Amino acid sequence: MMKALLSNDFSTSADADANDAAQWRGTALLRPGILAFEGEIRPTELHAHHAVQIMAACTPISVVDGSGVRQQGTHIIVPTDAPHRVCGGATHGIAIYLDPETVAGAAADRRAHLHGWLQALKVDPALGHVAEHVADVLADLLRDNAAGSEDRHGVVTAALQLLPDMVKDGSVRGSDVARQLGISATRLTHLFTEQVGIPLRRYILWLRLHIAMNGVMAGEDVTTASASAGFADSSHLTRTCRRTFGLPPSMMSRDVDWDISL
């Protein structure tokens, strides 16, 4: 049941969030700029989140937007910050959340605005696993992207190596990373966005979520995991999860089969 993972963003009960998440069984994936779930998609309350959401299922899903217009199909893209509710789910499907500042997220958001929420994405939820579904969606979204295939700049590689420890130590800004690498913040930001596909400041946020997720998987409670990831407190993590995905931190349930490799 994906209800806890796709709804409850107005819930005030942490215990209810945890109970709902514990009932859901499925697989999930977390990468910088990407959160994905595979399993049953169930109805949700009206909500909105900053991430662009892609839903694909073996049978039609019904989604109602903030104006009351119903969208029904097997492939749906919900634009960033768009109020919506799932009024008809599916027994098996995938839900992918993309940071709208990533190349893929911007492409998905643009498609939804240009061609409507109903799409014809080249992904079949009946075949493969969540990582393969995500790869199929990204390939579809980025097929017209002309980004170069040149080798990654050494300063970007160095930044990726430095960031995990810097983030764990607390608040970190792009200028802090640039200073350690002896490069201007503007130049580092440009190179990072171009070669990693996500702005440095957004990558730092997703890295915090990744570290927190690892902490939960290692047996830490949410408060400890939040501190380990450089969040001010567990409330900061909760606000981040709800603002970005419309989901509570209980989405990090160890009952879910997670793929959290960077």
Side-chain angles (χ1 to χ4, degrees), residues 152-164 166 177 180-183 188 192:
R152 182 171 286 169
H153 195 289
V155 75
V156 174
T157 299
L160 290 169
Q161 293 171 342
L162 281 174
L163 279 168
M166 293 183 71
V177 184
Q180 288 210 32
L181 297 174
I183 188 174
L188 175 61
F192 197 95

PDB file of all heavy atoms in Angstrom, residues 152-164 166 177 180-183 188 192:
ATOM      1  N   ARG A 152      34.538  14.131 -16.609  1.00  0.00           N
ATOM      2  CA  ARG A 152      34.205  15.048 -15.518  1.00  0.00           C
ATOM      3  C   ARG A 152      35.443  15.844 -15.110  1.00  0.00           C
ATOM      4  O   ARG A 152      36.534  15.290 -14.980  1.00  0.00           O
ATOM      5  CB  ARG A 152      33.653  14.252 -14.340  1.00  0.00           C
ATOM      6  CG  ARG A 152      33.225  15.105 -13.147  1.00  0.00           C
ATOM      7  CD  ARG A 152      32.490  14.255 -12.134  1.00  0.00           C
ATOM      8  NE  ARG A 152      31.142  13.935 -12.602  1.00  0.00           N
ATOM      9  CZ  ARG A 152      30.343  13.035 -12.036  1.00  0.00           C
ATOM     10  NH1 ARG A 152      30.778  12.333 -11.015  1.00  0.00           N
ATOM     11  NH2 ARG A 152      29.138  12.818 -12.515  1.00  0.00           N
ATOM     12  N   HIS A 153      35.278  17.125 -14.900  1.00  0.00           N
ATOM     13  CA  HIS A 153      36.360  18.001 -14.473  1.00  0.00           C
ATOM     14  C   HIS A 153      36.868  17.560 -13.101  1.00  0.00           C
ATOM     15  O   HIS A 153      36.087  17.171 -12.232  1.00  0.00           O
ATOM     16  CB  HIS A 153      35.849  19.447 -14.410  1.00  0.00           C
ATOM     17  CG  HIS A 153      36.918  20.478 -14.341  1.00  0.00           C
ATOM     18  ND1 HIS A 153      37.704  20.669 -13.224  1.00  0.00           N
ATOM     19  CD2 HIS A 153      37.341  21.398 -15.253  1.00  0.00           C
ATOM     20  CE1 HIS A 153      38.558  21.661 -13.443  1.00  0.00           C
ATOM     21  NE2 HIS A 153      38.361  22.117 -14.678  1.00  0.00           N
ATOM     22  N   GLY A 154      38.178  17.649 -12.895  1.00  0.00           N
ATOM     23  CA  GLY A 154      38.770  17.204 -11.641  1.00  0.00           C
ATOM     24  C   GLY A 154      38.224  17.910 -10.429  1.00  0.00           C
ATOM     25  O   GLY A 154      38.081  17.306  -9.353  1.00  0.00           O
ATOM     26  N   VAL A 155      37.882  19.191 -10.571  1.00  0.00           N
ATOM     27  CA  VAL A 155      37.384  19.934  -9.420  1.00  0.00           C
ATOM     28  C   VAL A 155      35.985  19.451  -9.024  1.00  0.00           C
ATOM     29  O   VAL A 155      35.621  19.460  -7.845  1.00  0.00           O
ATOM     30  CB  VAL A 155      37.386  21.457  -9.721  1.00  0.00           C
ATOM     31  CG1 VAL A 155      36.237  21.855 -10.648  1.00  0.00           C
ATOM     32  CG2 VAL A 155      37.342  22.260  -8.446  1.00  0.00           C
ATOM     33  N   VAL A 156      35.199  18.962  -9.996  1.00  0.00           N
ATOM     34  CA  VAL A 156      33.880  18.417  -9.688  1.00  0.00           C
ATOM     35  C   VAL A 156      34.021  17.086  -8.951  1.00  0.00           C
ATOM     36  O   VAL A 156      33.331  16.820  -7.964  1.00  0.00           O
ATOM     37  CB  VAL A 156      33.050  18.242 -10.973  1.00  0.00           C
ATOM     38  CG1 VAL A 156      31.723  17.539 -10.673  1.00  0.00           C
ATOM     39  CG2 VAL A 156      32.793  19.602 -11.626  1.00  0.00           C
ATOM     40  N   THR A 157      34.944  16.267  -9.417  1.00  0.00           N
ATOM     41  CA  THR A 157      35.215  14.993  -8.741  1.00  0.00           C
ATOM     42  C   THR A 157      35.664  15.236  -7.308  1.00  0.00           C
ATOM     43  O   THR A 157      35.218  14.559  -6.374  1.00  0.00           O
ATOM     44  CB  THR A 157      36.295  14.208  -9.494  1.00  0.00           C
ATOM     45  OG1 THR A 157      35.837  13.922 -10.819  1.00  0.00           O
ATOM     46  CG2 THR A 157      36.612  12.894  -8.789  1.00  0.00           C
ATOM     47  N   ALA A 158      36.536  16.227  -7.122  1.00  0.00           N
ATOM     48  CA  ALA A 158      37.022  16.554  -5.778  1.00  0.00           C
ATOM     49  C   ALA A 158      35.884  17.046  -4.887  1.00  0.00           C
ATOM     50  O   ALA A 158      35.812  16.699  -3.703  1.00  0.00           O
ATOM     51  CB  ALA A 158      38.132  17.603  -5.870  1.00  0.00           C
ATOM     52  N   ALA A 159      34.988  17.840  -5.453  1.00  0.00           N
ATOM     53  CA  ALA A 159      33.845  18.342  -4.680  1.00  0.00           C
ATOM     54  C   ALA A 159      32.952  17.191  -4.221  1.00  0.00           C
ATOM     55  O   ALA A 159      32.512  17.157  -3.068  1.00  0.00           O
ATOM     56  CB  ALA A 159      33.041  19.335  -5.522  1.00  0.00           C
ATOM     57  N   LEU A 160      32.702  16.244  -5.117  1.00  0.00           N
ATOM     58  CA  LEU A 160      31.870  15.089  -4.766  1.00  0.00           C
ATOM     59  C   LEU A 160      32.504  14.266  -3.653  1.00  0.00           C
ATOM     60  O   LEU A 160      31.800  13.675  -2.826  1.00  0.00           O
ATOM     61  CB  LEU A 160      31.644  14.229  -6.008  1.00  0.00           C
ATOM     62  CG  LEU A 160      30.744  14.830  -7.089  1.00  0.00           C
ATOM     63  CD1 LEU A 160      30.816  14.006  -8.370  1.00  0.00           C
ATOM     64  CD2 LEU A 160      29.309  14.943  -6.603  1.00  0.00           C
ATOM     65  N   GLN A 161      33.818  14.227  -3.609  1.00  0.00           N
ATOM     66  CA  GLN A 161      34.513  13.481  -2.565  1.00  0.00           C
ATOM     67  C   GLN A 161      34.499  14.223  -1.231  1.00  0.00           C
ATOM     68  O   GLN A 161      34.414  13.608  -0.168  1.00  0.00           O
ATOM     69  CB  GLN A 161      35.953  13.211  -3.002  1.00  0.00           C
ATOM     70  CG  GLN A 161      36.069  12.268  -4.192  1.00  0.00           C
ATOM     71  CD  GLN A 161      37.480  12.169  -4.748  1.00  0.00           C
ATOM     72  OE1 GLN A 161      38.334  13.029  -4.486  1.00  0.00           O
ATOM     73  NE2 GLN A 161      37.743  11.132  -5.535  1.00  0.00           N
ATOM     74  N   LEU A 162      34.564  15.552  -1.288  1.00  0.00           N
ATOM     75  CA  LEU A 162      34.595  16.365  -0.071  1.00  0.00           C
ATOM     76  C   LEU A 162      33.237  16.487   0.605  1.00  0.00           C
ATOM     77  O   LEU A 162      33.137  16.535   1.832  1.00  0.00           O
ATOM     78  CB  LEU A 162      35.093  17.777  -0.400  1.00  0.00           C
ATOM     79  CG  LEU A 162      36.590  18.009  -0.576  1.00  0.00           C
ATOM     80  CD1 LEU A 162      36.831  19.443  -1.035  1.00  0.00           C
ATOM     81  CD2 LEU A 162      37.325  17.753   0.736  1.00  0.00           C
ATOM     82  N   LEU A 163      32.188  16.551  -0.191  1.00  0.00           N
ATOM     83  CA  LEU A 163      30.875  16.941   0.320  1.00  0.00           C
ATOM     84  C   LEU A 163      30.311  16.063   1.445  1.00  0.00           C
ATOM     85  O   LEU A 163      29.770  16.609   2.414  1.00  0.00           O
ATOM     86  CB  LEU A 163      29.876  17.017  -0.837  1.00  0.00           C
ATOM     87  CG  LEU A 163      29.955  18.318  -1.633  1.00  0.00           C
ATOM     88  CD1 LEU A 163      29.160  18.202  -2.927  1.00  0.00           C
ATOM     89  CD2 LEU A 163      29.446  19.493  -0.806  1.00  0.00           C
ATOM     90  N   PRO A 164      30.395  14.731   1.378  1.00  0.00           N
ATOM     91  CA  PRO A 164      29.783  13.946   2.460  1.00  0.00           C
ATOM     92  C   PRO A 164      30.289  14.317   3.852  1.00  0.00           C
ATOM     93  O   PRO A 164      29.488  14.498   4.778  1.00  0.00           O
ATOM     94  CB  PRO A 164      30.158  12.494   2.091  1.00  0.00           C
ATOM     95  CG  PRO A 164      30.274  12.531   0.601  1.00  0.00           C
ATOM     96  CD  PRO A 164      30.891  13.860   0.291  1.00  0.00           C
ATOM     97  N   MET A 166      31.791  17.154   4.740  1.00  0.00           N
ATOM     98  CA  MET A 166      31.454  18.540   5.031  1.00  0.00           C
ATOM     99  C   MET A 166      30.001  18.660   5.469  1.00  0.00           C
ATOM    100  O   MET A 166      29.677  19.401   6.408  1.00  0.00           O
ATOM    101  CB  MET A 166      31.707  19.416   3.798  1.00  0.00           C
ATOM    102  CG  MET A 166      33.171  19.545   3.410  1.00  0.00           C
ATOM    103  SD  MET A 166      33.434  20.667   1.991  1.00  0.00           S
ATOM    104  CE  MET A 166      33.084  22.266   2.771  1.00  0.00           C
ATOM    105  N   VAL A 177      32.819  24.992  -0.190  1.00  0.00           N
ATOM    106  CA  VAL A 177      33.439  23.946  -1.011  1.00  0.00           C
ATOM    107  C   VAL A 177      34.439  24.572  -1.972  1.00  0.00           C
ATOM    108  O   VAL A 177      35.566  24.098  -2.135  1.00  0.00           O
ATOM    109  CB  VAL A 177      32.370  23.160  -1.792  1.00  0.00           C
ATOM    110  CG1 VAL A 177      33.012  22.011  -2.564  1.00  0.00           C
ATOM    111  CG2 VAL A 177      31.284  22.634  -0.856  1.00  0.00           C
ATOM    112  N   GLN A 180      37.771  25.549  -0.406  1.00  0.00           N
ATOM    113  CA  GLN A 180      38.674  24.410  -0.157  1.00  0.00           C
ATOM    114  C   GLN A 180      39.345  23.928  -1.440  1.00  0.00           C
ATOM    115  O   GLN A 180      40.449  23.405  -1.409  1.00  0.00           O
ATOM    116  CB  GLN A 180      37.909  23.253   0.487  1.00  0.00           C
ATOM    117  CG  GLN A 180      37.525  23.490   1.932  1.00  0.00           C
ATOM    118  CD  GLN A 180      37.459  22.183   2.715  1.00  0.00           C
ATOM    119  OE1 GLN A 180      38.204  21.240   2.443  1.00  0.00           O
ATOM    120  NE2 GLN A 180      36.592  22.135   3.700  1.00  0.00           N
ATOM    121  N   LEU A 181      38.667  24.114  -2.556  1.00  0.00           N
ATOM    122  CA  LEU A 181      39.193  23.622  -3.829  1.00  0.00           C
ATOM    123  C   LEU A 181      39.988  24.677  -4.590  1.00  0.00           C
ATOM    124  O   LEU A 181      40.546  24.391  -5.649  1.00  0.00           O
ATOM    125  CB  LEU A 181      38.040  23.129  -4.708  1.00  0.00           C
ATOM    126  CG  LEU A 181      37.257  21.938  -4.153  1.00  0.00           C
ATOM    127  CD1 LEU A 181      36.055  21.642  -5.033  1.00  0.00           C
ATOM    128  CD2 LEU A 181      38.152  20.709  -4.042  1.00  0.00           C
ATOM    129  N   GLY A 182      40.020  25.905  -4.048  1.00  0.00           N
ATOM    130  CA  GLY A 182      40.789  26.957  -4.691  1.00  0.00           C
ATOM    131  C   GLY A 182      40.203  27.412  -6.016  1.00  0.00           C
ATOM    132  O   GLY A 182      40.932  27.687  -6.979  1.00  0.00           O
ATOM    133  N   ILE A 183      38.886  27.479  -6.082  1.00  0.00           N
ATOM    134  CA  ILE A 183      38.193  27.887  -7.306  1.00  0.00           C
ATOM    135  C   ILE A 183      37.081  28.849  -6.914  1.00  0.00           C
ATOM    136  O   ILE A 183      36.620  28.840  -5.769  1.00  0.00           O
ATOM    137  CB  ILE A 183      37.615  26.647  -8.044  1.00  0.00           C
ATOM    138  CG1 ILE A 183      37.056  27.017  -9.419  1.00  0.00           C
ATOM    139  CG2 ILE A 183      36.561  25.968  -7.201  1.00  0.00           C
ATOM    140  CD1 ILE A 183      36.600  25.804 -10.236  1.00  0.00           C
ATOM    141  N   LEU A 188      32.682  26.916  -9.858  1.00  0.00           N
ATOM    142  CA  LEU A 188      32.348  25.593  -9.338  1.00  0.00           C
ATOM    143  C   LEU A 188      30.867  25.297  -9.560  1.00  0.00           C
ATOM    144  O   LEU A 188      30.507  24.190  -9.991  1.00  0.00           O
ATOM    145  CB  LEU A 188      32.677  25.500  -7.848  1.00  0.00           C
ATOM    146  CG  LEU A 188      32.267  24.194  -7.158  1.00  0.00           C
ATOM    147  CD1 LEU A 188      32.965  23.001  -7.789  1.00  0.00           C
ATOM    148  CD2 LEU A 188      32.566  24.256  -5.663  1.00  0.00           C
ATOM    149  N   PHE A 192      29.632  22.171 -11.765  1.00  0.00           N
ATOM    150  CA  PHE A 192      28.891  21.128 -11.045  1.00  0.00           C
ATOM    151  C   PHE A 192      27.531  20.903 -11.684  1.00  0.00           C
ATOM    152  O   PHE A 192      27.139  19.763 -11.951  1.00  0.00           O
ATOM    153  CB  PHE A 192      28.738  21.527  -9.574  1.00  0.00           C
ATOM    154  CG  PHE A 192      28.370  20.384  -8.669  1.00  0.00           C
ATOM    155  CD1 PHE A 192      29.345  19.690  -7.973  1.00  0.00           C
ATOM    156  CD2 PHE A 192      27.046  19.996  -8.516  1.00  0.00           C
ATOM    157  CE1 PHE A 192      29.017  18.623  -7.145  1.00  0.00           C
ATOM    158  CE2 PHE A 192      26.705  18.940  -7.697  1.00  0.00           C
ATOM    159  CZ  PHE A 192      27.690  18.247  -7.010  1.00  0.00           C
TER     160      PHE A 192
END
